[in-house]
Each structure stands twice: as structure tokens, then as C-alpha cells.
Amino acid sequence: METVEEHRSHGGVQGVYRHASSSTGTEMIFSVFVPEHAEGARLPVLWFLSGLTCTHANVTEKGEYRAACAEHGVIFVAPDTSPRGEDVPDHEAYDFGQGAGFYVDATQAPWAKHFRMRNYVEQELPALLAEHFPVDMDRQGITGHSMGGHGALTVGLRNPDRFRSVSAFSPIVSPLNCPWGEKALGGYLGTDREAWREYDACALIEDGARIDGLLVDQGTGDNFLEDQLKTELLVQACESAGIPGEIRMQPGYDHSYYFISTFLAEHVAWHAERLKR
């Protein structure tokens, strides 16, 4: 693992790191904020999965989470959204290919060789984090934005024994029922829609996946809300399954980091309460 940069911040260290990934067959970059802590201490960790077109840098530079992480003693990890490089297949559209991995393990050519973001996020990067940082892997939470909100919900629902807390900002709640999801899952996984269900939060809940609760913030001024995000489907799924979901519609907020940065510290505190129990 190579250190790209490190900076002192809020008493802790904000770093950016690079490593050769066995999951994607490429170099991958991720960021980690480690708050000040006692020598030998192991800290809870909060994962943040980013949205379409983003890298680790968007939330790292715009998220405004470090003060809250320092206050609550939580490590914050932000991976990239896809493999990248000249040898990695791409697409001319912004919502498919590089920058749009959708946190799936692709099965279709030419994507299957490199686009294995599910394995990267669920297996490889956690192992690397445990090796190099003072994390308590028994206390993990996950959140994300938009495509990353979809990732956080599905990863959390598939791994309830690993993630004590799950939240999201403006998540794509049902890729089976929106243009972004149909394009991505069809391209990466093929035409069998049954194979898509493990990457759809509402379908996972319908098929029996359960978590103790979740927190979702969604802006009412989000121009993707009606056609792509469809928050009401998650509300219905949680109500039907008896999952206590705090799904907050925030008046006037859009899809940007102005919205995310407004509420991210609240999410850090919400996760910290659950990770310290």
C-alpha cells in the first residue's frame, strides 16, 4: 500500500492511499480519516460509498465529516466508485463504465474482468484496512450517496452480521425500477432480472433481508427523485417488513454535496451511537 498524501486535521490524520487490487486487477485509491486516539486503541469504522462520476475525493474534500468523526472517535473510509485505467473498459455515457461501478460484481464481457466492486468493498478493502489501520472490524457502519446509497443499502442488507448501522443519502432504492439501474444491471449482469435482485434494496427486503433500522435523508428539491431514486418504494418496503426506517424528506435540498455536507455530521453521530453499544 502506497501513501499518496496525508494531512493533519481535527487532531487526526486524513490520508489518501493507493494499492494494487486483486478484485479489479487495477490500482485502486481510497481515503481514510483516523481521529486522534490512545495508543493501541481500535476504533469503529464508517464506510462511505460515493455516487456516479465520483471518486474518493468528492466526499473527502466536500463532506465536512472530520470534526464529527474526531468528536465521536470514528474512522471514515471512502473508496473509489470503479476500477480505472487505459486498459479498463469504459462507456461514453456518464452513468455506465468507469466512475459507475454500481458496487456489483459484473458477469458480462467486457466488464467482468475488472468491474468487481462488490468483492472489493465487501472483502478486499476491509482486509487491507484491518491490516494497516487501527480499526475494530466488529464495529462497522456503512453509508453512501445516490449510487453509493444503493451500495450502502445493499451491502448492509446482505451483511447484517457485519454492519451494525446502515444509512444513505439520496439512494437509488430500487435499480430494478429506474433507468439508471436497468442500464447498469443489464449491462453488468445480463438480461436475467432475477440475478439483479441481490443488488436492489427493496427486492432484498422483499426476499427476507433484515436490518435493525436505517437512516435515510432525501432532498425534496432533488431533480432525480421522481424518475431515478423513488424513495417511496423504500418507505413501502420497510413498512411491509417492519424495519424501523427513519426516512427524512428534507425540504428544498438537492442532490449535491451542499445537501450531503449539511447532514453528514448527523449521520456520523447516528452511526457512532450504534457502533459504541
Side-chain angles (χ1 to χ4, degrees), residues 44-91:
V45 57
L46 176 60
W47 296 82
F48 184 97
L49 305 184
S50 296
L52 286 167
T53 75
C54 292
T55 70
H56 70 283
N58 297 75
V59 69
T60 305
E61 297 170 2
K62 302 176 183 178
E64 300 181 23
Y65 55 84
R66 279 172 284 270
C69 287
E71 176 184 354
H72 296 287
V74 174
I75 291 174
F76 192 96
V77 181
D80 201 349
T81 54
S82 80
R84 300 177 190 272
E86 292 183 2
D87 296 331
V88 176
D90 200 5
H91 194 278

Side-chain angles (χ1 to χ4, degrees), residues 94-166:
Y94 77 95
D95 55 357
F96 194 74
Q98 294 188 35
F102 267 81
Y103 305 100
V104 306
D105 282 352
T107 60
Q108 304 300 300
W111 314 101
K113 180 179 179 180
H114 297 292
F115 280 73
R116 301 182 65 242
M117 290 301 296
R118 173 181 177 174
N119 188 77
Y120 180 71
V121 168
E122 289 187 354
Q123 304 297 331
E124 182 179 6
L125 191 53
L128 187 71
L129 199 71
E131 181 180 355
H132 293 281
F133 297 92
V135 294
D136 181 349
M137 300 304 285
D138 291 328
R139 294 187 292 161
Q140 296 185 69
I142 191 165
T143 187
H145 171 235
S146 193
M147 177 185 74
H150 138 77
L153 293 176
T154 55
V155 171
L157 284 162
R158 288 193 304 262
N159 300 277
D161 56 335
R162 184 184 306 180
F163 294 97
R164 293 192 186 183
S165 53
V166 181

Side-chain angles (χ1 to χ4, degrees), residues 146-147 149-151 153-154 157 168-178 180 197 199-205 214 216 218 225 228-238 247:
S146 193
M147 177 185 74
H150 138 77
L153 293 176
T154 55
L157 284 162
F169 296 86
S170 314
I172 304 169
V173 305
S174 184
L176 278 157
N177 294 291
C178 74
W180 277 342
R197 295 184 68 84
Y199 297 110
D200 183 299
C202 293
L204 283 166
I205 293 171
L214 74 159
V216 173
Q218 171 63 60
L225 175 56
Q228 302 282 12
L229 307 178
K230 302 190 175 184
T231 309
E232 74 279 1
L233 297 180
L234 183 62
V235 174
Q236 295 166 11
C238 288
I247 300 175

Side-chain angles (χ1 to χ4, degrees), residues 4-72:
V4 178
E5 56 183 285
E6 288 185 332
H7 307 279
R8 188 76 167 160
S9 181
H10 292 278
V13 175
Q14 176 65 66
V16 177
Y17 308 93
R18 179 188 291 115
H19 73 111
S21 168
S22 59
S23 299
T24 67
T26 68
E27 288 193 334
M28 295 292 292
I29 293 179
F30 63 97
S31 75
V32 181
F33 175 70
V34 180
E36 191 171 23
H37 58 283
E39 184 176 356
R42 313 295 287 185
L43 306 181
V45 57
L46 176 60
W47 296 82
F48 184 97
L49 305 184
S50 296
L52 286 167
T53 75
C54 292
T55 70
H56 70 283
N58 297 75
V59 69
T60 305
E61 297 170 2
K62 302 176 183 178
E64 300 181 23
Y65 55 84
R66 279 172 284 270
C69 287
E71 176 184 354
H72 296 287

